[in-house]
Amino acid sequence: MKFKEEYMRLWTATFGDTEQYVSLVFDSYFNEALSAKAGEKSLTSALMGVPYEFKNDRDTLRGLYLCGLATVPQGRRRGLMTGLLQEIDSRAREMGYDFTFLLPQSDELRAYYRARGYKDGFYCSLNHYVTGHKFGPENTGVAVERLEGAETKEIVNYLLEAQERSRNGSELFTLYHSRRDWEVVLREASISNEPVFVALANGIVKGVLFMAEVNPDIHENVYVKKILAENAEAADAMLSELGHRWPERGVTVCSSPYDSAASAYSYGMVRIFNVHDILEKIGCTDKKMFEGYTENEIIDVILRHPHYRGAEDELKELLNYPRLELSAALLLE
């Protein structure tokens, strides 16, 4: 219990999150067996691991999400976090996880984790729409409401069904939220003042849209983190509602780069443990394809950029090799 309390104080001091938010994180996900710490007399450095499954149409991967990586100011630049990363990666490998992953919030942090063996593995495309953009026809019979209050059972049921439907025929390994996870996501949105909109047709939920906090210091446009919708009408109705509520702003939508021609950027990094097991799960039936490659080179190939089109100094046949496509959204950060 002492570790949990000390870590909560370290988290608050490092990231400036509210007491309500930190309590939600630790009450929902803290597990000492999936955490790592440094400091004998008092806590100096710590990180938390949160287990998730990633699913596509055929298979499941196990990933351990690393968050809350924090070190007291006087303990930095001493290699403490490097040691904790090595410890949690070793433990995760022994526990049968396919990979650990994290979501760095700056280029400096991305460089830090890259130097410690992490690779770009989660990509997103940003689609920007100017002020006044028409997302679809008006009067489609779809009503849009901002989610208010604590009654979310119907919304959670829809989200569970929607993520299950999204697996059908998909090669993309998408982070799979449990019922508890979705409940936490909705509570976190309320605590962090991040609007959630619901599309309804005849009173039945047809879509849910998650936004980032409307803060011009962070996002010039209204920023959409995730849309789950049964059809284009529901998605367009929710996006149109954003235009009505914030008419002076454009809209930016984060979407899968594997379904879009828009430019892609990396937002998450991964450290893969057993690449040969993953090759089987992404449909690599011909292992001869990778003869002559080191394990690290194989990982580079399967994690290549979504819009990689080959280069003169690289093998064109890379385009024919299987790719590990990962997606993670709406995580506590």
Side-chain angles (χ1 to χ4, degrees):
M1 185 61 68
K2 179 184 176 183
F3 172 35
K4 179 180 178 181
E5 293 171 349
E6 284 188 317
Y7 190 10
M8 290 177 71
R9 290 194 292 270
L10 174 60
W11 183 303
T12 301
T14 302
F15 305 113
D17 292 319
T18 65
E19 180 180 345
Q20 190 178 15
Y21 178 88
V22 175
S23 294
L24 174 65
V25 172
F26 279 80
D27 291 345
S28 302
Y29 293 118
F30 178 77
N31 180 345
E32 189 161 352
L34 294 175
S35 302
K37 61 181 179 178
E40 296 182 3
K41 296 182 179 180
S42 61
L43 188 65
T44 305
S45 186
L47 61 80
M48 181 190 302
V50 181
Y52 285 103
E53 289 185 335
F54 288 76
K55 299 184 180 184
N56 70 1
D57 190 44
R58 298 187 311 271
D59 224 319
T60 300
L61 296 172
R62 296 178 64 211
L64 187 66
Y65 173 47
L66 306 184
C67 59
L69 288 78
T71 303
V72 297
Q74 62 270 28
R76 294 170 188 168
R77 302 188 184 280
R78 291 167 46 192
L80 296 177
M81 187 56 68
T82 298
L84 296 187
L85 287 168
Q86 292 171 345
E87 176 186 339
I88 199 68
D89 283 341
S90 176
R91 208 184 310 166
R93 184 194 297 267
E94 292 173 358
M95 296 173 73
Y97 287 93
D98 294 294
F99 54 83
T100 53
F101 69 104
L102 34 74
L103 307 180
Q105 298 299 302
S106 69
D107 290 340
E108 182 181 4
L109 285 174
R110 277 185 282 275
Y112 175 87
Y113 295 121
R114 190 172 290 112
R116 285 151 184 80
Y118 285 81
K119 297 177 180 290
D120 293 329
F122 293 81
Y123 296 93
C124 175
S125 287
L126 295 181
N127 299 290
H128 303 285
Y129 302 94
V130 298
T131 303
H133 179 84
K134 301 297 183 184
F135 287 99
E138 302 286 342
N139 304 317
T140 59
V142 178
V144 178
E145 300 176 358
R146 180 169 176 175
L147 184 63
E148 305 283 359
E151 184 50 54
T152 59
K153 182 177 180 180
E154 183 181 2
I155 306 301
V156 170
N157 287 342
Y158 173 82
L159 292 168
L160 289 168
E161 294 168 1
Q163 73 177 2
E164 194 64 38
R165 284 195 303 271
S166 69
R167 293 174 56 191
N168 295 334
S170 176
E171 296 292 325
L172 181 66
F173 278 94
T174 301
L175 186 145
Y176 199 84
H177 286 295
S178 66
R179 177 175 293 277
R180 181 194 66 167
D181 292 333
W182 282 120
E183 291 170 350
V184 172
V185 166
L186 292 171
R187 288 204 300 272
E188 189 274 334
S190 177
I191 290 171
S192 300
N193 194 31
E194 296 185 333
V196 177
F197 289 90
V198 181
L200 301 161
N202 298 319
I204 299 173
V205 179
K206 295 296 182 180
V208 182
L209 180 150
F210 294 88
M211 279 179 54
E213 180 184 7
V214 180
N215 184 340
D217 293 332
I218 301 175
H219 301 292
E220 181 178 350
N221 286 353
V222 173
Y223 187 88
V224 178
K225 298 163 67 174
K226 182 78 172 178
I227 301 176
L228 294 99
E230 288 190 23
N231 50 50
E233 288 77 12
D236 287 342
M238 291 186 289
L239 291 170
S240 295
E241 180 66 19
L242 305 188
H244 295 320
R245 292 190 178 232
W246 292 279
E248 74 285 0
R249 298 186 183 281
V251 176
T252 295
V253 180
C254 181
S255 62
S256 168
Y258 304 102
D259 302 325
S260 170
S263 60
Y265 75 96
S266 169
Y267 67 90
M269 305 183 77
V270 59
R271 187 164 196 172
I272 292 175
F273 300 133
N274 193 333
V275 67
H276 297 287
D277 284 352
I278 288 181
L279 284 176
E280 292 183 6
K281 291 185 178 183
I282 62 177
C284 180
T285 57
D286 183 8
K287 298 296 178 63
K288 292 182 180 179
M289 294 178 72
F290 288 101
E291 285 185 355
Y293 284 84
T294 66
E295 184 168 295
N296 194 54
E297 288 171 335
I298 295 172
I299 293 173
D300 285 338
V301 170
I302 65 175
L303 290 177
R304 65 192 182 276
H305 192 277
H307 299 155
Y308 174 80
R309 294 293 179 265
E312 290 184 1
D313 60 341
E314 295 180 293
L315 296 174
K316 295 292 185 180
E317 51 264 38
L318 275 178
L319 300 178
N320 300 317
Y321 285 25
R323 187 202 310 271
L324 176 59
E325 300 178 2
L326 297 168
S327 175
L330 305 176
L331 293 170
L332 297 167
E333 300 176 7

